């Protein structure tokens, strides 16, 4: 489901951003007032057709020394944050193959993570698991394993087997120094509800 959900997520976010950008641009260029289109339950302008920031108050703020640098700094910071977030949506950390100790041998990080998740799920007492392998540098690999235990299983009973699986994964990434972070959670008891 993940390969389908990611492009849909990106399309929805991109479409929403484009719609907001076009709407904001249209409102900025045309200058049409939306006050008469707002629901009657919303608080409207006070008597005398006042606004939140009238022309006189805006002129006084523009005369202050701190106003222009603050507005520019906030706008640039927000723009950079949004651009970084947008670029992060298109980044796929699992696409780079990892070179192995054998000459010419490589493994995809996603394949390594899937094999690790299957091995962790095979441990008795583990209901399901999820793993990620993230190359952090040329010699360092970060492995994250999330495990959900079956109801009634204590973490102490499965931890030695999970540590052995993690050690095996670290050895299989031989030229890399792998650091494994293991997160253990318990599945909730699902009680049937009567209505």
């Amino acid at each position: 489901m993940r390969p389908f959900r990611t492009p849909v997520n990106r399309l929805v976010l991109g479409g929403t951003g484009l719609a907001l950008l076009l709407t904001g641009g249209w409102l900025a260029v045309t200058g049409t007032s939306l006050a008469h289109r707002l629901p009657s339950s919303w608080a409207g302008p006070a008597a005398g057709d006042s606004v939140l920031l009238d022309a006189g108050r805006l002129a006084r703020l523009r005369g202050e020394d701190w106003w222009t640098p603050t507005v520019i700094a906030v706008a640039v910071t927000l723009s950079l944050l949004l651009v970084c977030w947008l670029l992060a949506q298109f980044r796929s950390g699992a696409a780079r193959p990892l070179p192995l100790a054998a000459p010419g041998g490589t493994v995809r990080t996603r394949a390594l993570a899937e094999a690790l998740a299957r091995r962790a799920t095979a441990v008795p007492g583990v209901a399901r698991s999820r793993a990620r392998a993230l190359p952090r540098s040329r010699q360092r690999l970060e492995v994250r394993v999330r495990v959900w235990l079956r109801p009634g299983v204590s973490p102490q009973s499965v931890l030695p087997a999970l540590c052995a699986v993690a050690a095996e994964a670290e050895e299989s990434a031989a030229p890399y120094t792998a650091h494994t972070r293991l997160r253990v959670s318990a599945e909730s008891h699902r009680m049937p509800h009567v209505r």
Side-chain angles (χ1 to χ4, degrees), residues 50-120:
S50 68
V51 294
L52 180 65
L53 195 59
D54 61 353
R57 174 78 174 134
L58 185 59
R60 284 192 301 275
L61 282 175
R62 286 182 178 160
E64 298 287 335
D65 292 338
W66 58 269
W67 176 257
T68 303
T70 302
V71 169
I72 291 173
V74 168
V76 167
T77 303
L78 285 176
S79 298
L80 287 175
L81 286 174
L82 289 173
V83 166
C84 290
W85 176 73
L86 176 69
L87 293 176
Q89 294 296 313
F90 295 105
R91 186 181 65 212
S92 172
R96 191 170 86 194
L98 301 174
L100 296 176
T106 61
V107 65
R108 289 182 307 118
T109 54
R110 183 170 290 155
L112 180 65
E114 288 173 1
L116 181 59
R118 278 196 298 271
R119 292 286 310 236

Side-chain angles (χ1 to χ4, degrees), residues 147-167:
V147 174
W148 287 269
L149 302 179
R150 297 187 190 282
V153 175
S154 69
Q156 291 84 7
S157 64
V158 296
L159 200 54
L162 290 174
C163 288
V165 169

Side-chain angles (χ1 to χ4, degrees), residues 111-158:
L112 180 65
E114 288 173 1
L116 181 59
R118 278 196 298 271
R119 292 286 310 236
T121 304
V123 171
V126 174
R128 59 189 168 105
S129 66
R130 182 175 61 206
R132 290 185 70 191
L134 306 166
R136 293 299 183 196
S137 66
R138 291 192 176 265
Q139 296 299 323
R140 188 169 163 260
L141 180 69
E142 183 177 329
V143 179
R144 297 178 187 170
V145 182
R146 174 92 189 262
V147 174
W148 287 269
L149 302 179
R150 297 187 190 282
V153 175
S154 69
Q156 291 84 7
S157 64
V158 296

